[in-house]
Amino acid sequence: MTEKKRNTTGYWILCLVSALALTYFTLFLPQAFWLGLPTFFGGLAMAMDWV
C-alpha cells in the first residue's frame, strides 16, 4: 500500500505566522500568549503530517 502525500505548504505558513504572533505576544502582551498556542501546535502537527 502506498500513502498519498499531502501538500503541507499552507500548514507550514500557518505555523510560521502563529510563531511570529507568539513572539509578538510574548514581548508586548504577555497575558495573551495563550491565545496563539492552539494555532501554533495545530499547524505544526498538520505540517509534520501527524494528523
mmCIF file of all heavy atoms in Angstrom:
data_model
loop_
_atom_site.group_PDB
_atom_site.id
_atom_site.type_symbol
_atom_site.label_atom_id
_atom_site.label_comp_id
_atom_site.label_asym_id
_atom_site.label_seq_id
_atom_site.Cartn_x
_atom_site.Cartn_y
_atom_site.Cartn_z
ATOM 1 N N MET A 1 0.823 -1.179 0.000
ATOM 2 C CA MET A 1 0.000 0.000 0.000
ATOM 3 C C MET A 1 0.874 1.253 0.000
ATOM 4 O O MET A 1 1.880 1.306 0.676
ATOM 5 C CB MET A 1 -0.862 0.034 1.248
ATOM 6 C CG MET A 1 -2.024 -0.938 1.188
ATOM 7 S SD MET A 1 -3.240 -0.591 2.460
ATOM 8 C CE MET A 1 -2.477 -1.388 3.848
ATOM 9 N N THR A 2 0.435 2.210 -0.734
ATOM 10 C CA THR A 2 1.152 3.489 -0.756
ATOM 11 C C THR A 2 0.245 4.563 -0.174
ATOM 12 O O THR A 2 -0.967 4.555 -0.376
ATOM 13 C CB THR A 2 1.555 3.875 -2.189
ATOM 14 O OG1 THR A 2 0.377 3.999 -2.975
ATOM 15 C CG2 THR A 2 2.477 2.833 -2.789
ATOM 16 N N GLU A 3 0.847 5.466 0.528
ATOM 17 C CA GLU A 3 0.103 6.577 1.103
ATOM 18 C C GLU A 3 0.319 7.820 0.249
ATOM 19 O O GLU A 3 1.429 8.079 -0.201
ATOM 20 C CB GLU A 3 0.569 6.858 2.526
ATOM 21 C CG GLU A 3 0.215 5.765 3.503
ATOM 22 C CD GLU A 3 0.572 6.150 4.919
ATOM 23 O OE1 GLU A 3 0.632 7.356 5.200
ATOM 24 O OE2 GLU A 3 0.804 5.246 5.715
ATOM 25 N N LYS A 4 -0.744 8.562 0.043
ATOM 26 C CA LYS A 4 -0.665 9.783 -0.730
ATOM 27 C C LYS A 4 -0.123 10.901 0.166
ATOM 28 O O LYS A 4 -0.610 11.125 1.266
ATOM 29 C CB LYS A 4 -2.042 10.156 -1.251
ATOM 30 C CG LYS A 4 -2.031 11.346 -2.167
ATOM 31 C CD LYS A 4 -3.416 11.640 -2.693
ATOM 32 C CE LYS A 4 -3.376 12.864 -3.555
ATOM 33 N NZ LYS A 4 -4.718 13.244 -3.990
ATOM 34 N N LYS A 5 0.901 11.604 -0.300
ATOM 35 C CA LYS A 5 1.485 12.714 0.456
ATOM 36 C C LYS A 5 0.632 13.964 0.244
ATOM 37 O O LYS A 5 0.224 14.265 -0.869
ATOM 38 C CB LYS A 5 2.919 12.985 0.007
ATOM 39 C CG LYS A 5 3.886 11.860 0.283
ATOM 40 C CD LYS A 5 4.141 11.709 1.752
ATOM 41 C CE LYS A 5 5.171 12.712 2.172
ATOM 42 N NZ LYS A 5 5.555 12.642 3.561
ATOM 43 N N ARG A 6 0.400 14.684 1.342
ATOM 44 C CA ARG A 6 -0.365 15.923 1.261
ATOM 45 C C ARG A 6 0.570 17.096 1.019
ATOM 46 O O ARG A 6 1.742 17.047 1.377
ATOM 47 C CB ARG A 6 -1.113 16.179 2.563
ATOM 48 C CG ARG A 6 -2.186 15.198 2.845
ATOM 49 C CD ARG A 6 -3.055 15.636 3.985
ATOM 50 N NE ARG A 6 -2.290 15.920 5.195
ATOM 51 C CZ ARG A 6 -2.849 16.256 6.334
ATOM 52 N NH1 ARG A 6 -4.142 16.334 6.432
ATOM 53 N NH2 ARG A 6 -2.101 16.500 7.395
ATOM 54 N N ASN A 7 0.027 18.141 0.451
ATOM 55 C CA ASN A 7 0.775 19.378 0.290
ATOM 56 C C ASN A 7 0.675 20.141 1.613
ATOM 57 O O ASN A 7 -0.399 20.594 2.010
ATOM 58 C CB ASN A 7 0.195 20.211 -0.849
ATOM 59 C CG ASN A 7 1.035 21.423 -1.135
ATOM 60 O OD1 ASN A 7 2.092 21.614 -0.547
ATOM 61 N ND2 ASN A 7 0.575 22.249 -2.045
ATOM 62 N N THR A 8 1.784 20.275 2.313
ATOM 63 C CA THR A 8 1.776 20.864 3.649
ATOM 64 C C THR A 8 2.289 22.304 3.673
ATOM 65 O O THR A 8 2.515 22.849 4.753
ATOM 66 C CB THR A 8 2.622 20.011 4.601
ATOM 67 O OG1 THR A 8 3.948 19.909 4.097
ATOM 68 C CG2 THR A 8 2.033 18.621 4.767
ATOM 69 N N THR A 9 2.436 22.926 2.534
ATOM 70 C CA THR A 9 2.975 24.292 2.477
ATOM 71 C C THR A 9 2.103 25.271 3.257
ATOM 72 O O THR A 9 2.611 26.107 4.010
ATOM 73 C CB THR A 9 3.098 24.748 1.013
ATOM 74 O OG1 THR A 9 3.885 23.808 0.300
ATOM 75 C CG2 THR A 9 3.733 26.122 0.936
ATOM 76 N N GLY A 10 0.810 25.179 3.093
ATOM 77 C CA GLY A 10 -0.102 26.070 3.794
ATOM 78 C C GLY A 10 -0.031 25.896 5.300
ATOM 79 O O GLY A 10 -0.145 26.861 6.059
ATOM 80 N N TYR A 11 0.155 24.670 5.731
ATOM 81 C CA TYR A 11 0.262 24.407 7.163
ATOM 82 C C TYR A 11 1.562 24.954 7.735
ATOM 83 O O TYR A 11 1.593 25.430 8.872
ATOM 84 C CB TYR A 11 0.146 22.921 7.445
ATOM 85 C CG TYR A 11 -1.187 22.335 7.028
ATOM 86 C CD1 TYR A 11 -1.251 21.179 6.267
ATOM 87 C CD2 TYR A 11 -2.384 22.950 7.378
ATOM 88 C CE1 TYR A 11 -2.456 20.637 5.886
ATOM 89 C CE2 TYR A 11 -3.599 22.415 6.994
ATOM 90 C CZ TYR A 11 -3.638 21.264 6.259
ATOM 91 O OH TYR A 11 -4.842 20.743 5.881
ATOM 92 N N TRP A 12 2.643 24.885 6.961
ATOM 93 C CA TRP A 12 3.905 25.476 7.418
ATOM 94 C C TRP A 12 3.785 26.986 7.524
ATOM 95 O O TRP A 12 4.323 27.602 8.444
ATOM 96 C CB TRP A 12 5.055 25.093 6.490
ATOM 97 C CG TRP A 12 5.582 23.727 6.756
ATOM 98 C CD1 TRP A 12 5.528 22.659 5.919
ATOM 99 C CD2 TRP A 12 6.247 23.274 7.944
ATOM 100 N NE1 TRP A 12 6.100 21.572 6.529
ATOM 101 C CE2 TRP A 12 6.559 21.919 7.764
ATOM 102 C CE3 TRP A 12 6.593 23.885 9.144
ATOM 103 C CZ2 TRP A 12 7.200 21.168 8.738
ATOM 104 C CZ3 TRP A 12 7.235 23.138 10.117
ATOM 105 C CH2 TRP A 12 7.529 21.799 9.913
ATOM 106 N N ILE A 13 3.080 27.595 6.589
ATOM 107 C CA ILE A 13 2.869 29.043 6.647
ATOM 108 C C ILE A 13 2.033 29.399 7.874
ATOM 109 O O ILE A 13 2.341 30.367 8.591
ATOM 110 C CB ILE A 13 2.211 29.546 5.343
ATOM 111 C CG1 ILE A 13 3.198 29.396 4.183
ATOM 112 C CG2 ILE A 13 1.742 30.990 5.484
ATOM 113 C CD1 ILE A 13 2.605 29.648 2.825
ATOM 114 N N LEU A 14 0.991 28.617 8.148
ATOM 115 C CA LEU A 14 0.178 28.833 9.336
ATOM 116 C C LEU A 14 1.018 28.725 10.599
ATOM 117 O O LEU A 14 0.902 29.555 11.512
ATOM 118 C CB LEU A 14 -0.964 27.811 9.387
ATOM 119 C CG LEU A 14 -1.824 27.800 10.640
ATOM 120 C CD1 LEU A 14 -2.667 29.071 10.711
ATOM 121 C CD2 LEU A 14 -2.696 26.572 10.659
ATOM 122 N N CYS A 15 1.879 27.737 10.660
ATOM 123 C CA CYS A 15 2.742 27.542 11.815
ATOM 124 C C CYS A 15 3.721 28.703 11.972
ATOM 125 O O CYS A 15 3.939 29.198 13.088
ATOM 126 C CB CYS A 15 3.491 26.215 11.672
ATOM 127 S SG CYS A 15 4.471 25.777 13.101
ATOM 128 N N LEU A 16 4.299 29.162 10.889
ATOM 129 C CA LEU A 16 5.255 30.268 10.942
ATOM 130 C C LEU A 16 4.582 31.572 11.371
ATOM 131 O O LEU A 16 5.105 32.295 12.217
ATOM 132 C CB LEU A 16 5.925 30.451 9.574
ATOM 133 C CG LEU A 16 6.930 31.579 9.470
ATOM 134 C CD1 LEU A 16 8.128 31.311 10.366
ATOM 135 C CD2 LEU A 16 7.369 31.762 8.038
ATOM 136 N N VAL A 17 3.419 31.868 10.813
ATOM 137 C CA VAL A 17 2.701 33.091 11.175
ATOM 138 C C VAL A 17 2.288 33.055 12.643
ATOM 139 O O VAL A 17 2.419 34.047 13.364
ATOM 140 C CB VAL A 17 1.483 33.300 10.250
ATOM 141 C CG1 VAL A 17 0.568 34.393 10.769
ATOM 142 C CG2 VAL A 17 1.945 33.617 8.843
ATOM 143 N N SER A 18 1.822 31.914 13.105
ATOM 144 C CA SER A 18 1.434 31.833 14.512
ATOM 145 C C SER A 18 2.655 31.883 15.428
ATOM 146 O O SER A 18 2.566 32.384 16.549
ATOM 147 C CB SER A 18 0.591 30.591 14.780
ATOM 148 O OG SER A 18 1.309 29.428 14.485
ATOM 149 N N ALA A 19 3.806 31.396 14.986
ATOM 150 C CA ALA A 19 5.030 31.524 15.783
ATOM 151 C C ALA A 19 5.434 32.995 15.893
ATOM 152 O O ALA A 19 5.872 33.437 16.966
ATOM 153 C CB ALA A 19 6.155 30.709 15.160
ATOM 154 N N LEU A 20 5.272 33.743 14.824
ATOM 155 C CA LEU A 20 5.547 35.177 14.884
ATOM 156 C C LEU A 20 4.575 35.879 15.830
ATOM 157 O O LEU A 20 4.966 36.771 16.589
ATOM 158 C CB LEU A 20 5.472 35.791 13.486
ATOM 159 C CG LEU A 20 6.568 35.356 12.517
ATOM 160 C CD1 LEU A 20 6.279 35.903 11.119
ATOM 161 C CD2 LEU A 20 7.914 35.803 13.003
ATOM 162 N N ALA A 21 3.314 35.465 15.798
ATOM 163 C CA ALA A 21 2.330 36.051 16.713
ATOM 164 C C ALA A 21 2.661 35.702 18.156
ATOM 165 O O ALA A 21 2.516 36.544 19.054
ATOM 166 C CB ALA A 21 0.931 35.556 16.352
ATOM 167 N N LEU A 22 3.123 34.482 18.401
ATOM 168 C CA LEU A 22 3.518 34.095 19.762
ATOM 169 C C LEU A 22 4.683 34.946 20.250
ATOM 170 O O LEU A 22 4.719 35.358 21.416
ATOM 171 C CB LEU A 22 3.905 32.618 19.800
ATOM 172 C CG LEU A 22 2.775 31.616 19.865
ATOM 173 C CD1 LEU A 22 3.320 30.204 19.805
ATOM 174 C CD2 LEU A 22 1.956 31.809 21.103
ATOM 175 N N THR A 23 5.628 35.195 19.375
ATOM 176 C CA THR A 23 6.768 36.035 19.749
ATOM 177 C C THR A 23 6.304 37.451 20.072
ATOM 178 O O THR A 23 6.732 38.044 21.066
ATOM 179 C CB THR A 23 7.797 36.067 18.608
ATOM 180 O OG1 THR A 23 8.187 34.729 18.298
ATOM 181 C CG2 THR A 23 9.012 36.876 18.992
ATOM 182 N N TYR A 24 5.433 37.982 19.251
ATOM 183 C CA TYR A 24 4.895 39.317 19.496
ATOM 184 C C TYR A 24 4.151 39.369 20.829
ATOM 185 O O TYR A 24 4.342 40.285 21.632
ATOM 186 C CB TYR A 24 3.959 39.725 18.354
ATOM 187 C CG TYR A 24 3.256 41.026 18.599
ATOM 188 C CD1 TYR A 24 3.905 42.234 18.378
ATOM 189 C CD2 TYR A 24 1.944 41.052 19.062
ATOM 190 C CE1 TYR A 24 3.268 43.437 18.609
ATOM 191 C CE2 TYR A 24 1.300 42.249 19.298
ATOM 192 C CZ TYR A 24 1.970 43.440 19.072
ATOM 193 O OH TYR A 24 1.336 44.625 19.305
ATOM 194 N N PHE A 25 3.282 38.368 21.058
ATOM 195 C CA PHE A 25 2.527 38.337 22.312
ATOM 196 C C PHE A 25 3.442 38.208 23.516
ATOM 197 O O PHE A 25 3.199 38.803 24.558
ATOM 198 C CB PHE A 25 1.519 37.190 22.313
ATOM 199 C CG PHE A 25 0.314 37.433 21.442
ATOM 200 C CD1 PHE A 25 -0.336 36.382 20.837
ATOM 201 C CD2 PHE A 25 -0.169 38.713 21.214
ATOM 202 C CE1 PHE A 25 -1.442 36.584 20.047
ATOM 203 C CE2 PHE A 25 -1.276 38.942 20.420
ATOM 204 C CZ PHE A 25 -1.922 37.869 19.837
ATOM 205 N N THR A 26 4.495 37.425 23.386
ATOM 206 C CA THR A 26 5.416 37.247 24.499
ATOM 207 C C THR A 26 6.118 38.555 24.846
ATOM 208 O O THR A 26 6.310 38.871 26.017
ATOM 209 C CB THR A 26 6.459 36.171 24.162
ATOM 210 O OG1 THR A 26 5.782 34.944 23.875
ATOM 211 C CG2 THR A 26 7.411 35.942 25.309
ATOM 212 N N LEU A 27 6.486 39.315 23.848
ATOM 213 C CA LEU A 27 7.221 40.545 24.088
ATOM 214 C C LEU A 27 6.334 41.710 24.538
ATOM 215 O O LEU A 27 6.707 42.470 25.433
ATOM 216 C CB LEU A 27 7.980 40.957 22.829
ATOM 217 C CG LEU A 27 9.108 40.016 22.399
ATOM 218 C CD1 LEU A 27 9.675 40.475 21.065
ATOM 219 C CD2 LEU A 27 10.183 39.952 23.457
ATOM 220 N N PHE A 28 5.175 41.869 23.904
ATOM 221 C CA PHE A 28 4.391 43.076 24.107
ATOM 222 C C PHE A 28 3.082 42.877 24.868
ATOM 223 O O PHE A 28 2.541 43.838 25.409
ATOM 224 C CB PHE A 28 4.086 43.741 22.764
ATOM 225 C CG PHE A 28 5.327 44.156 22.032
ATOM 226 C CD1 PHE A 28 5.727 43.482 20.895
ATOM 227 C CD2 PHE A 28 6.103 45.205 22.502
ATOM 228 C CE1 PHE A 28 6.878 43.852 20.219
ATOM 229 C CE2 PHE A 28 7.257 45.581 21.829
ATOM 230 C CZ PHE A 28 7.649 44.901 20.694
ATOM 231 N N LEU A 29 2.548 41.677 24.883
ATOM 232 C CA LEU A 29 1.264 41.430 25.532
ATOM 233 C C LEU A 29 1.279 40.037 26.156
ATOM 234 O O LEU A 29 0.604 39.123 25.675
ATOM 235 C CB LEU A 29 0.146 41.553 24.492
ATOM 236 C CG LEU A 29 -1.272 41.750 24.951
ATOM 237 C CD1 LEU A 29 -1.393 43.043 25.755
ATOM 238 C CD2 LEU A 29 -2.205 41.786 23.772
ATOM 239 N N PRO A 30 2.054 39.842 27.224
ATOM 240 C CA PRO A 30 2.274 38.502 27.766
ATOM 241 C C PRO A 30 1.010 37.767 28.203
ATOM 242 O O PRO A 30 0.958 36.543 28.117
ATOM 243 C CB PRO A 30 3.178 38.746 28.974
ATOM 244 C CG PRO A 30 3.770 40.079 28.778
ATOM 245 C CD PRO A 30 2.812 40.860 27.951
ATOM 246 N N GLN A 31 -0.020 38.476 28.636
ATOM 247 C CA GLN A 31 -1.220 37.789 29.081
ATOM 248 C C GLN A 31 -1.992 37.163 27.919
ATOM 249 O O GLN A 31 -2.824 36.284 28.142
ATOM 250 C CB GLN A 31 -2.128 38.715 29.895
ATOM 251 C CG GLN A 31 -2.706 39.876 29.121
ATOM 252 C CD GLN A 31 -1.832 41.101 29.166
ATOM 253 O OE1 GLN A 31 -0.635 41.015 29.421
ATOM 254 N NE2 GLN A 31 -2.410 42.257 28.917
ATOM 255 N N ALA A 32 -1.720 37.556 26.683
ATOM 256 C CA ALA A 32 -2.402 37.000 25.514
ATOM 257 C C ALA A 32 -1.590 35.895 24.847
ATOM 258 O O ALA A 32 -1.979 35.396 23.792
ATOM 259 C CB ALA A 32 -2.693 38.104 24.510
ATOM 260 N N PHE A 33 -0.476 35.500 25.451
ATOM 261 C CA PHE A 33 0.380 34.458 24.885
ATOM 262 C C PHE A 33 -0.386 33.166 24.628
ATOM 263 O O PHE A 33 -0.190 32.501 23.611
ATOM 264 C CB PHE A 33 1.543 34.199 25.845
ATOM 265 C CG PHE A 33 2.362 32.998 25.515
ATOM 266 C CD1 PHE A 33 3.292 33.051 24.501
ATOM 267 C CD2 PHE A 33 2.212 31.815 26.214
ATOM 268 C CE1 PHE A 33 4.065 31.951 24.185
ATOM 269 C CE2 PHE A 33 2.976 30.710 25.911
ATOM 270 C CZ PHE A 33 3.905 30.777 24.895
ATOM 271 N N TRP A 34 -1.289 32.812 25.519
ATOM 272 C CA TRP A 34 -2.002 31.534 25.432
ATOM 273 C C TRP A 34 -2.935 31.460 24.240
ATOM 274 O O TRP A 34 -3.321 30.362 23.821
ATOM 275 C CB TRP A 34 -2.782 31.301 26.717
ATOM 276 C CG TRP A 34 -1.895 31.331 27.899
ATOM 277 C CD1 TRP A 34 -1.743 32.362 28.781
ATOM 278 C CD2 TRP A 34 -0.967 30.315 28.298
ATOM 279 N NE1 TRP A 34 -0.797 32.036 29.714
ATOM 280 C CE2 TRP A 34 -0.305 30.790 29.445
ATOM 281 C CE3 TRP A 34 -0.643 29.067 27.802
ATOM 282 C CZ2 TRP A 34 0.664 30.039 30.091
ATOM 283 C CZ3 TRP A 34 0.315 28.326 28.460
ATOM 284 C CH2 TRP A 34 0.956 28.803 29.576
ATOM 285 N N LEU A 35 -3.325 32.588 23.686
ATOM 286 C CA LEU A 35 -4.258 32.582 22.562
ATOM 287 C C LEU A 35 -3.653 31.972 21.297
ATOM 288 O O LEU A 35 -4.361 31.399 20.478
ATOM 289 C CB LEU A 35 -4.734 34.002 22.256
ATOM 290 C CG LEU A 35 -5.564 34.679 23.339
ATOM 291 C CD1 LEU A 35 -5.836 36.118 22.954
ATOM 292 C CD2 LEU A 35 -6.837 33.922 23.573
ATOM 293 N N GLY A 36 -2.349 32.098 21.126
ATOM 294 C CA GLY A 36 -1.711 31.598 19.917
ATOM 295 C C GLY A 36 -1.246 30.161 19.992
ATOM 296 O O GLY A 36 -0.869 29.585 18.966
ATOM 297 N N LEU A 37 -1.244 29.559 21.156
ATOM 298 C CA LEU A 37 -0.721 28.201 21.293
ATOM 299 C C LEU A 37 -1.496 27.138 20.508
ATOM 300 O O LEU A 37 -0.872 26.303 19.846
ATOM 301 C CB LEU A 37 -0.638 27.807 22.768
ATOM 302 C CG LEU A 37 0.504 28.455 23.545
ATOM 303 C CD1 LEU A 37 0.460 27.996 24.987
ATOM 304 C CD2 LEU A 37 1.838 28.145 22.928
ATOM 305 N N PRO A 38 -2.832 27.118 20.562
ATOM 306 C CA PRO A 38 -3.539 26.078 19.794
ATOM 307 C C PRO A 38 -3.272 26.166 18.294
ATOM 308 O O PRO A 38 -3.107 25.131 17.628
ATOM 309 C CB PRO A 38 -5.008 26.341 20.106
ATOM 310 C CG PRO A 38 -5.011 27.087 21.373
ATOM 311 C CD PRO A 38 -3.745 27.898 21.381
ATOM 312 N N THR A 39 -3.208 27.371 17.759
ATOM 313 C CA THR A 39 -2.956 27.527 16.327
ATOM 314 C C THR A 39 -1.546 27.083 15.973
ATOM 315 O O THR A 39 -1.333 26.418 14.958
ATOM 316 C CB THR A 39 -3.159 28.994 15.906
ATOM 317 O OG1 THR A 39 -4.439 29.417 16.337
ATOM 318 C CG2 THR A 39 -3.062 29.140 14.406
ATOM 319 N N PHE A 40 -0.578 27.430 16.822
ATOM 320 C CA PHE A 40 0.798 27.044 16.540
ATOM 321 C C PHE A 40 0.963 25.521 16.563
ATOM 322 O O PHE A 40 1.487 24.933 15.621
ATOM 323 C CB PHE A 40 1.745 27.683 17.554
ATOM 324 C CG PHE A 40 3.168 27.207 17.405
ATOM 325 C CD1 PHE A 40 3.935 27.640 16.342
ATOM 326 C CD2 PHE A 40 3.711 26.316 18.303
ATOM 327 C CE1 PHE A 40 5.245 27.204 16.184
ATOM 328 C CE2 PHE A 40 5.013 25.866 18.156
ATOM 329 C CZ PHE A 40 5.775 26.309 17.093
ATOM 330 N N PHE A 41 0.512 24.891 17.620
ATOM 331 C CA PHE A 41 0.703 23.448 17.720
ATOM 332 C C PHE A 41 -0.194 22.671 16.758
ATOM 333 O O PHE A 41 0.190 21.607 16.270
ATOM 334 C CB PHE A 41 0.503 22.977 19.157
ATOM 335 C CG PHE A 41 1.661 23.340 20.036
ATOM 336 C CD1 PHE A 41 1.516 24.242 21.061
ATOM 337 C CD2 PHE A 41 2.910 22.794 19.806
ATOM 338 C CE1 PHE A 41 2.588 24.592 21.865
ATOM 339 C CE2 PHE A 41 3.995 23.131 20.599
ATOM 340 C CZ PHE A 41 3.829 24.028 21.629
ATOM 341 N N GLY A 42 -1.370 23.193 16.460
ATOM 342 C CA GLY A 42 -2.218 22.566 15.447
ATOM 343 C C GLY A 42 -1.583 22.646 14.068
ATOM 344 O O GLY A 42 -1.577 21.672 13.311
ATOM 345 N N GLY A 43 -1.042 23.817 13.730
ATOM 346 C CA GLY A 43 -0.356 23.981 12.439
ATOM 347 C C GLY A 43 0.884 23.120 12.356
ATOM 348 O O GLY A 43 1.188 22.543 11.306
ATOM 349 N N LEU A 44 1.620 23.009 13.459
ATOM 350 C CA LEU A 44 2.813 22.166 13.473
ATOM 351 C C LEU A 44 2.461 20.697 13.277
ATOM 352 O O LEU A 44 3.117 19.988 12.502
ATOM 353 C CB LEU A 44 3.572 22.357 14.787
ATOM 354 C CG LEU A 44 4.865 21.557 14.946
ATOM 355 C CD1 LEU A 44 5.891 21.992 13.903
ATOM 356 C CD2 LEU A 44 5.412 21.708 16.346
ATOM 357 N N ALA A 45 1.425 20.235 13.951
ATOM 358 C CA ALA A 45 1.008 18.844 13.817
ATOM 359 C C ALA A 45 0.558 18.530 12.385
ATOM 360 O O ALA A 45 0.878 17.474 11.835
ATOM 361 C CB ALA A 45 -0.113 18.533 14.800
ATOM 362 N N MET A 46 -0.177 19.455 11.777
ATOM 363 C CA MET A 46 -0.628 19.232 10.403
ATOM 364 C C MET A 46 0.532 19.340 9.417
ATOM 365 O O MET A 46 0.588 18.610 8.419
ATOM 366 C CB MET A 46 -1.742 20.203 10.039
ATOM 367 C CG MET A 46 -3.021 19.909 10.777
ATOM 368 S SD MET A 46 -4.420 20.912 10.264
ATOM 369 C CE MET A 46 -3.941 22.527 10.889
ATOM 370 N N ALA A 47 1.471 20.257 9.661
ATOM 371 C CA ALA A 47 2.608 20.420 8.766
ATOM 372 C C ALA A 47 3.530 19.207 8.811
ATOM 373 O O ALA A 47 4.096 18.812 7.798
ATOM 374 C CB ALA A 47 3.388 21.684 9.131
ATOM 375 N N MET A 48 3.692 18.624 9.999
ATOM 376 C CA MET A 48 4.529 17.441 10.130
ATOM 377 C C MET A 48 3.793 16.174 9.702
ATOM 378 O O MET A 48 4.336 15.089 9.750
ATOM 379 C CB MET A 48 5.013 17.303 11.582
ATOM 380 C CG MET A 48 5.880 18.454 12.037
ATOM 381 S SD MET A 48 7.450 18.526 11.193
ATOM 382 C CE MET A 48 8.307 17.220 11.997
ATOM 383 N N ASP A 49 2.528 16.340 9.297
ATOM 384 C CA ASP A 49 1.679 15.247 8.819
ATOM 385 C C ASP A 49 1.450 14.210 9.910
ATOM 386 O O ASP A 49 1.476 13.005 9.661
ATOM 387 C CB ASP A 49 2.262 14.609 7.557
ATOM 388 C CG ASP A 49 1.190 13.990 6.688
ATOM 389 O OD1 ASP A 49 0.005 14.258 6.922
ATOM 390 O OD2 ASP A 49 1.556 13.221 5.780
ATOM 391 N N TRP A 50 1.235 14.691 11.124
ATOM 392 C CA TRP A 50 0.957 13.796 12.255
ATOM 393 C C TRP A 50 -0.536 13.536 12.409
ATOM 394 O O TRP A 50 -0.928 12.689 13.180
ATOM 395 C CB TRP A 50 1.474 14.401 13.549
ATOM 396 C CG TRP A 50 2.956 14.458 13.639
ATOM 397 C CD1 TRP A 50 3.852 13.714 12.925
ATOM 398 C CD2 TRP A 50 3.747 15.318 14.460
ATOM 399 N NE1 TRP A 50 5.132 14.059 13.260
ATOM 400 C CE2 TRP A 50 5.093 15.035 14.213
ATOM 401 C CE3 TRP A 50 3.422 16.284 15.394
ATOM 402 C CZ2 TRP A 50 6.127 15.688 14.852
ATOM 403 C CZ3 TRP A 50 4.458 16.933 16.037
ATOM 404 C CH2 TRP A 50 5.780 16.635 15.761
ATOM 405 N N VAL A 51 -1.358 14.313 11.705
ATOM 406 C CA VAL A 51 -2.805 14.165 11.837
ATOM 407 C C VAL A 51 -3.326 13.448 10.619
ATOM 408 O O VAL A 51 -2.956 13.685 9.527
ATOM 409 C CB VAL A 51 -3.479 15.542 11.988
ATOM 410 C CG1 VAL A 51 -4.979 15.398 12.056
ATOM 411 C CG2 VAL A 51 -2.952 16.247 13.207
#
